Amino acid sequence: MNEDGHSLSDKVEDIYSTCPSERRRCVYCHTDLDSTNVHIKCAECTDVYLCVDCFSVGVEIDGHASSHDYFVEDASCIPVFRKEWSAASELHLLDALEIVGWGNWVDIEEY
């Protein structure tokens, strides 16, 4: 456990629980958004996701307007090696290994 009372496994679960359960695609060009680092989610439309290219040219489709508020999302929750571990959790583990040292699993869990 670290100072906030959460273990590494708690943090991994928190990160993974925010990941989409289905693959996301740009509503306009159908690019696979899970394979990109950054994509746009409309804050006003339901399930409207755009790739950066479509967003940058102001795509409007099915009631979505380019003037809508939006969120910038990244794909750090996408699994790299195993579905239980997101890219963000893999990076957190690597940070912990670098800070506390290889094999120091008690401190790594508390990181």
Side-chain angles (χ1 to χ4, degrees):
M1 298 258 177
N2 61 11
E3 63 276 353
D4 65 1
H6 294 94
S7 69
L8 180 60
S9 58
D10 291 337
K11 290 180 182 181
V12 169
E13 184 59 33
D14 289 345
I15 292 168
Y16 194 71
S17 67
T18 63
C19 293
S21 58
E22 298 178 6
R23 297 192 71 77
R24 293 184 178 163
R25 296 195 174 276
C26 175
V27 296
Y28 189 74
C29 72
H30 306 289
T31 297
D32 180 3
L33 298 176
D34 292 337
S35 65
T36 63
N37 288 331
V38 176
H39 57 273
I40 308 302
K41 178 181 190 275
C42 181
E44 300 178 36
C45 298
T46 303
D47 295 327
V48 171
Y49 299 91
L50 295 168
C51 67
V52 173
D53 290 338
C54 290
F55 175 77
S56 67
V57 296
V59 163
E60 296 185 336
I61 186 171
D62 298 331
H64 169 72
S66 60
S67 60
H68 285 178
D69 291 334
Y70 61 91
F71 300 101
V72 177
E73 296 187 335
D74 69 26
S76 63
C77 67
I78 304 305
V80 177
F81 298 109
R82 299 177 56 172
K83 74 173 198 160
E84 297 85 6
W85 284 73
S86 66
S89 58
E90 296 278 357
L91 289 172
H92 187 79
L93 175 61
L94 291 173
D95 286 342
L97 287 168
E98 185 176 44
I99 300 295
V100 302
W102 178 261
N104 193 352
W105 302 114
V106 172
D107 288 341
I108 288 171
E109 184 178 10
E110 292 176 0
Y111 180 80

